[in-house]
Amino acid sequence: MQANANVSAEEIARFEKLASRWWDPDGESRPLHDLNPVRAAYVSGRANLRGARVVDVGCGGGLLSEALARAGGNVTAIDLGAKLIEIAKLHLFESNLSVDYRVQSSTELAETEPASFDVVCCMEMIEHVPDPAALIRDLSVMLKPGGQLFLSTLNRTPAAFGAAIVGAEYLMRLLPRGTHHYAQFLKPSEIAGMLRRFNLELEDIQGLAYNPLTRNARLTGNTAVNYVLSARKLA
Ligand code: SAH
């Protein structure tokens, strides 16, 4: 793995262990399955995906990538977990969709394809990289001027600690222990500062509410736990 890839090898290994069960809606990726329709609708409601060049950064097994392709996007999707990309590619045989999956880091894509994408999505990944500001810079570099960024992550609040770590990892055993590190959660104000620094204008932010018992997920005004935002690359 490249030294400058802004990636934690330990984190990638942790996600790769989940690869074979990624598309099982009742497996460890269950919260992502439950959240996926809501975040996909958020993206397609705010961006014109039809024919747009879209990239899903840190795509895992491709849950959002496929939803973006189904909505008409011309989707590239990258992840450093080779096993995850393998599973994502295999799933295309079931869905009959087309996605350009690649084993690639966010840093490398920013270097090789600057100003290339109309829409950049990066969901539930920024809390797993060593340098979140460098990730925002790379995402900004990938965007065409006027292009849109969609990003989701966990807030650094007691409520998020309770829901994502104590609740999901310890009480409900939805996620393997050690999936999340509280210190790496980011407050919306911190992300907003990074967006400004890298020429991105925050346009909207919504909470993502999720009830693991009923498996209901929806947008809410409360960003205390999980949230999704949209920002635009200034010219
Ligand atoms: N975005 C997906 C998966 C989230 S899990 C979803 O929400 O459904 C986070 C993913 O980010 C993992 O698959 C992990 O392998 C990947 N990842 C972490 N750091 C990365 C980096 N620097 N470049 C590319 N992928 C990365």
Side-chain angles (χ1 to χ4, degrees):
M1 220 168 267
Q2 314 106 292
N4 65 350
N6 191 18
V7 59
S8 152
E10 201 186 304
E11 292 276 346
I12 304 295
R14 210 191 323 271
F15 285 111
E16 284 204 283
K17 284 204 191 112
L18 311 179
S20 63
R21 294 180 304 277
W22 201 272
W23 280 92
D24 176 355
D26 299 313
E28 292 97 334
S29 303
R30 173 177 152 173
L32 295 176
H33 280 267
D34 295 341
L35 285 169
N36 204 47
V38 179
R39 58 194 192 173
Y42 181 76
V43 176
S44 54
R46 299 190 64 94
N48 181 10
L49 294 176
R50 204 144 286 284
R53 186 131 195 253
V54 181
V55 63
D56 186 13
V57 176
C59 62
L63 294 179
L64 183 71
S65 324
E66 284 204 1
L68 296 168
R70 193 169 288 115
N74 170 11
V75 182
T76 298
I78 64 163
D79 201 289
L80 273 176
K83 287 188 187 137
L84 289 161
I85 290 295
E86 218 173 291
I87 291 295
K89 283 182 177 167
L90 281 173
H91 199 266
L92 293 176
F93 290 104
E94 265 180 61
S95 61
N96 268 313
L97 292 163
S98 160
V99 175
D100 175 13
Y101 284 113
R102 308 174 187 172
V103 180
Q104 201 174 34
S105 73
S106 39
T107 308
E108 192 187 335
L109 185 64
E111 273 165 19
T112 54
E113 293 190 61
S116 302
F117 296 93
D118 302 291
V119 173
V120 172
C121 294
C122 186
M123 307 282 184
E124 313 302 323
M125 169 183 152
I126 195 166
E127 71 275 22
H128 299 285
V129 301
D131 185 347
L135 174 62
I136 300 280
R137 182 197 59 217
D138 289 337
L139 300 175
S140 177
V141 167
M142 291 170 201
L143 277 168
K144 296 179 186 170
Q148 288 166 283
L149 169 67
F150 295 91
L151 183 123
S152 71
T153 192
L154 288 158
N155 201 341
R156 198 171 62 262
T157 59
F161 182 80
I165 298 181
V166 181
E169 295 182 19
Y170 287 82
L171 298 178
M172 307 244 342
R173 312 270 166 91
L174 282 177
L175 301 172
R177 290 184 188 182
T179 300
H180 288 115
H181 310 285
Y182 183 65
Q184 285 179 258
F185 292 1
L186 292 156
K187 292 186 186 289
S189 57
E190 293 165 339
I191 303 249
M194 297 175 198
L195 294 173
R196 275 194 299 275
R197 216 170 119 196
F198 299 110
N199 214 20
L200 291 156
E201 183 172 49
L202 180 63
E203 290 194 321
D204 184 62
I205 179 160
Q206 302 278 336
L208 278 168
Y210 176 52
N211 180 336
L213 299 171
T214 61
R215 305 188 67 165
N216 179 267
R218 62 189 167 83
L219 294 179
T220 147
N222 180 358
T223 58
V225 179
N226 207 341
Y227 58 92
V228 59
L229 62 83
S230 91
R232 199 175 288 272
K233 173 84 179 273
L234 300 172

